[in-house]
């Protein structure tokens, strides 16, 4: 399987995750970790716990612009390119096996987690920025294009989670948790 310039799917996925997660290394590591629970119910609970923590980190990153790398504009442009290409692929009837849908299931799990984290984190940031007791109430500006990017993230997550060829059912509660934000 080839995905990125050097042919490594892992490198390709790392670039995608770093872009979606605002270059937050801690968040990328957390979303890439393999779940360790053996029982199905524990796995779902573990995914929800991971989702809550990731959404909180993403909201903080968005609110306080704690991006760890590069120019915010460059990150926004890369994120725009990645998320719109995922959304375009989902909407396209002519998707080929060399595009987003061909990622092996182990690689789709962190991608779905990242997509849910992005739109859940944006929702949490919007809620926090309007809270009465919040420190930056009324001072935070929604990053340009972030609502459109959240829409693209939702489309991508829905596609992957409803694809009958995958076994990502344990992430459905994560999606719903993120959507609730």
């Amino acid at each position: 399987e080839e995905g990125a310039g050097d042919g490594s799917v892992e490198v390709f996925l790392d670039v995608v995750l770093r872009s979606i997660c605002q270059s937050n290394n801690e968040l990328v590591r957390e979303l890439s970790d393999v779940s360790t629970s053996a029982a199905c119910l524990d796995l779902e609970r573990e995914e929800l716990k991971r989702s809550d923590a990731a959404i909180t980190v993403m909201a903080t990153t968005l609110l306080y612009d704690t991006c760890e790398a590069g120019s915010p504009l460059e990150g926004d442009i890369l994120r725009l390119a990645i998320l719109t290409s995922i959304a375009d692929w989902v909407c396209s009837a002519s998707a080929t096996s060399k595009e987003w849908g061909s990622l092996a299931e182990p690689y789709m799990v962190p991608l779905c987690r990242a997509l849910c984290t992005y739109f859940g984190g944006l929702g949490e940031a919007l809620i926090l920025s309007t809270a009465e007791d919040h420190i930056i109430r009324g001072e935070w500006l929604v990053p340009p294009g972030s609502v459109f990017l959240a829409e693209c993230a939702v489309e991508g997550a829905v596609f992957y989670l409803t694809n009958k060829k995958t076994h990502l059912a344990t992430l459905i509660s994560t999606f719903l948790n993120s959507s609730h934000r």
Side-chain angles (χ1 to χ4, degrees):
E1 295 178 325
E2 295 197 7
D6 73 350
S8 168
V9 175
E10 289 85 6
V11 171
F12 172 72
L13 183 64
D14 187 61
V15 169
V16 170
L17 291 179
R18 288 188 189 289
S19 174
I20 294 172
C21 296
Q22 308 278 107
S23 298
N24 186 313
N25 293 326
E26 172 193 338
L27 192 53
V28 170
R29 260 191 310 278
E30 178 63 28
L31 296 176
S32 299
D33 280 348
V34 176
S35 295
T36 56
S37 290
C40 184
L41 291 176
D42 287 339
L43 182 60
E44 188 172 325
R45 195 175 357 258
E46 184 179 334
E47 286 296 334
L48 282 172
K49 184 178 173 185
R50 178 193 323 257
S51 174
D52 283 338
I55 286 171
T56 300
V57 171
M58 178 58 76
T60 302
T61 301
L62 289 168
L63 284 170
Y64 301 106
D65 195 28
T66 57
C67 180
E68 295 179 6
S71 146
L73 179 60
E74 291 170 357
D76 289 344
I77 291 171
L78 181 58
R79 199 168 10 274
L80 176 69
I82 288 171
L83 289 173
T84 55
S85 69
I86 290 173
D88 288 348
W89 184 86
V90 168
C91 294
S92 169
S94 63
T96 67
S97 63
K98 293 289 184 192
E99 295 181 38
W100 291 101
S102 68
L103 281 177
E105 196 162 321
Y107 301 112
M108 288 193 302
V109 171
L111 177 60
C112 285
R113 287 176 182 157
L115 293 170
C116 291
T117 297
Y118 182 78
F119 67 80
L122 178 63
E124 187 72 15
L126 289 168
I127 290 169
L128 288 173
S129 70
T130 59
E132 286 292 328
D133 60 343
H134 200 268
I135 208 164
I136 62 166
R137 184 171 186 253
E139 295 177 18
W140 182 61
L141 296 176
V142 178
S146 61
V147 174
F148 172 70
L149 295 179
E151 178 185 340
C152 294
V154 169
E155 288 177 9
V158 166
F159 172 77
Y160 284 118
L161 293 174
T162 59
N163 187 337
K164 304 245 187 288
K165 297 176 185 173
T166 67
H167 300 91
L168 299 175
T170 56
L171 294 178
I172 290 175
S173 58
T174 300
F175 173 80
L176 294 172
N177 181 47
S178 299
S179 299
H180 179 67
R181 301 290 178 131

